[in-house]
Amino acid sequence: MVGVPGRSKGCSTCRKRKKGCDRLRPKCTQCSTAGLECSGYQRDTVFINHTQLTKSAPLPVVYRREPLPIPGHPLRVIGDVVLPNGLAQTAYTEKYISMFLIKYLPGGRLVPTDGLGPYRDWIDIAHGLYTSDKAIQFSLLSLGLFAAGESQHAIKSYGLALNNLRTTLSLPEKSQNDSLLATCQLMSLLEVFHGFDENVSLQGHKWRSHLNGLLALIRARSPSAYQSGVSHQLFADGRYLLLMAVIKERRRFPLNTPEWRTVPWEKEPKSRIDKLHDIMADASELLADVDQMRYCNDPLQKTELYVAVLVTCQNLEETLQCWLREGGALMAFQDSNGVTINSTSPSDIHLAHMTLLYWTMCAILYSTLVSIHDPPLSKVPAKIDAAPYLRNVANALPYFWNNDAGMCGANLAAWPWGVCLQIAFGSPERYPEEIALLEPFSLQKNGAMTVIQFLNSLQRTTAGPEMIHIEGKEGIMLRAQEWMMGRR
């Protein structure tokens, strides 16, 4: 049967997003505001199969496979394939998961995991587990359906993933499966790219709720349970997500104890990225110490806390310098002519991510040191100036959004970009040039608007109640200044 779906006369994009459309031509206001491509007002023709299947005589399903655009391979048209229902469902799932992987992975291709960084490992692990775990399967399928523009089916698949996750958590014998860690990370990824809501702060809260679940699952097992194999890698990658959250909240990292920092690496030595994550944990301690000092009402104790914070800053600076000396050169994002380098091999994008994190940690350290200086500095000494690191991050952003970097590049750059925007907006009189570099990138038509919506939501989740609903740039700057002063 042939039909025309729905009665809405809005554009195709708004219909898929279930948003109201003002039908402005050539581009509606909803799409313009969200930075999306307005797909126009033509009606899609659909084919609805009313064939009744019976248990006694299951009929095969005819699937016409459309070619997938895999870089480096010519498109091939594959003829109709007749499959039994079970195989048809498997083919359907694999098709959409492949579409997600092609869109997400750098270069759109799967490669061996030897020597790769964490951005690839946990995705490969999830892909390897999906045939035996429904929550992972529906999470990946949801990402694939979003990649194909089938938002309604993607949302339904996401709901099925949540239901299967709840079922698994209710079974004691499965509550400590590694697949649960992978599911939480997949769901947090879904929120970053597809969690936008008219209630702006809801996206950030949902992202944080998945990480709360991840933390609870990790702590349900002992540190020795994460010493090797899949468990170790999922723990290491999950630790980074949790660190992102606590730094945005200026809170201490719950896993920053001697046991959690050492036991999981007794069988496998710490990699360079693991050591950088340790530095992030130290930075979370610094931010929490600064807030404790600011809210201390006892003058003598406050002086002691101030001295202790200065010592912490010095130690953190020495750790960063040691990390840089031991690891060697950072990533060069432009060639000698100032043109962005587009090499996105696994080793390059891994180094690029570490470089971005290193600069972000330096920006956090020095901006914090300047903010607590007593008396306030009228001119910041070059040695403790965060501005060069903010500019470095801004100049590196195009690398992570080039076509070959995939969604992975945007995912890796999102948090450092958000933190640097927070620092720059927190002291706009000190970093006007850096704001001019960091802010306009969100206006580019390369998916950056999707990430900035997530960052905006995340910023609101950590703001005080009087700051949450202030809209526009004024709200962003006030919340950033509140964050820099440690007020929540």
Side-chain angles (χ1 to χ4, degrees), residues 64-82:
R64 173 162 293 160
R65 293 185 181 177
E66 297 178 357
L68 293 177
I70 302 176
H73 295 274
L75 294 179
R76 293 187 302 149
V77 177
I78 303 174
D80 291 353
V81 180
V82 181

Side-chain angles (χ1 to χ4, degrees), residues 5 15 68 92 133 148 164 179 193 208 303 310 357 432 437 444:
R15 291 204 305 272
L68 293 177
Y92 169 88
D133 187 274
N164 278 274
S179 60
F193 287 102
R208 192 63 177 94
T303 300
L310 292 179
L357 286 181
L437 288 172
Q444 298 189 29

Side-chain angles (χ1 to χ4, degrees), residues 172-183:
E173 69 275 12
K174 293 186 177 182
S175 61
Q176 295 190 0
N177 284 0
D178 291 330
S179 60
L180 293 172
L181 305 180
T183 301

Side-chain angles (χ1 to χ4, degrees), residues 187-414:
M187 289 184 170
S188 71
L189 185 67
L190 273 160
E191 292 301 337
V192 172
F193 287 102
H194 307 294
F196 178 72
D197 195 277
E198 291 182 358
N199 178 354
V200 181
S201 61
L202 187 59
Q203 183 179 12
H205 283 301
K206 290 189 293 183
W207 179 80
R208 192 63 177 94
S209 70
H210 292 312
L211 298 192
N212 288 339
L214 176 62
L215 177 61
L217 290 168
I218 288 175
R219 297 174 81 172
R221 299 154 72 176
S222 69
S224 60
Y226 303 104
Q227 292 184 334
S228 61
V230 169
S231 299
H232 176 79
Q233 192 60 59
L234 289 173
F235 165 76
D237 299 339
R239 192 169 74 129
Y240 172 59
L241 289 175
L242 296 171
L243 283 163
M244 289 164 53
V246 296
I247 289 177
K248 288 289 288 183
E249 296 167 358
R250 300 179 68 94
R251 299 186 186 278
R252 303 183 194 280
F253 184 43
L255 303 180
N256 198 31
T257 65
E259 187 179 22
W260 279 108
R261 284 182 68 135
T262 57
V263 173
W265 289 273
E266 287 182 352
K267 294 182 180 179
E268 297 187 23
K270 284 191 176 181
S271 65
R272 196 180 180 197
I273 192 69
D274 289 327
K275 294 176 182 178
L276 194 53
H277 293 166
D278 285 345
I279 293 174
M280 291 177 67
D282 293 338
S284 75
E285 297 286 337
L286 170 63
L287 294 175
D289 288 344
V290 168
D291 292 354
Q292 182 182 359
M293 177 200 71
R294 281 183 170 139
Y295 288 104
C296 179
N297 295 321
D298 184 287
L300 182 60
Q301 186 181 7
K302 190 165 189 171
T303 300
E304 293 174 352
L305 291 172
Y306 178 73
V307 173
V309 165
L310 292 179
V311 172
T312 301
C313 288
Q314 183 178 1
N315 292 339
L316 185 56
E317 182 182 45
E318 290 174 357
T319 305
L320 280 164
Q321 292 173 350
C322 181
W323 180 88
L324 187 60
R325 287 195 302 270
E326 290 179 355
L330 298 174
M331 179 76 175
F333 290 96
Q334 287 91 26
D335 59 22
S336 57
N337 297 319
V339 178
T340 299
I341 295 172
N342 290 328
S343 175
T344 52
S345 68
S347 59
D348 283 342
I349 203 163
H350 183 40
L351 178 59
H353 182 219
M354 288 194 296
T355 301
L356 211 59
L357 286 181
Y358 169 78
W359 288 336
T360 304
M361 289 302 101
C362 290
I364 289 175
L365 169 62
Y366 295 128
S367 63
T368 300
L369 192 56
V370 169
S371 73
I372 64 171
H373 200 280
D374 190 15
L377 293 168
S378 57
K379 184 176 181 180
V380 179
K383 184 180 179 181
I384 59 171
D385 191 2
Y389 301 102
L390 298 176
R391 289 195 294 270
N392 286 344
V393 170
N395 292 329
L397 291 177
Y399 172 88
F400 291 92
W401 263 273
N402 78 71
N403 291 334
D404 287 340
M407 290 170 59
C408 171
N411 188 43
L412 293 178

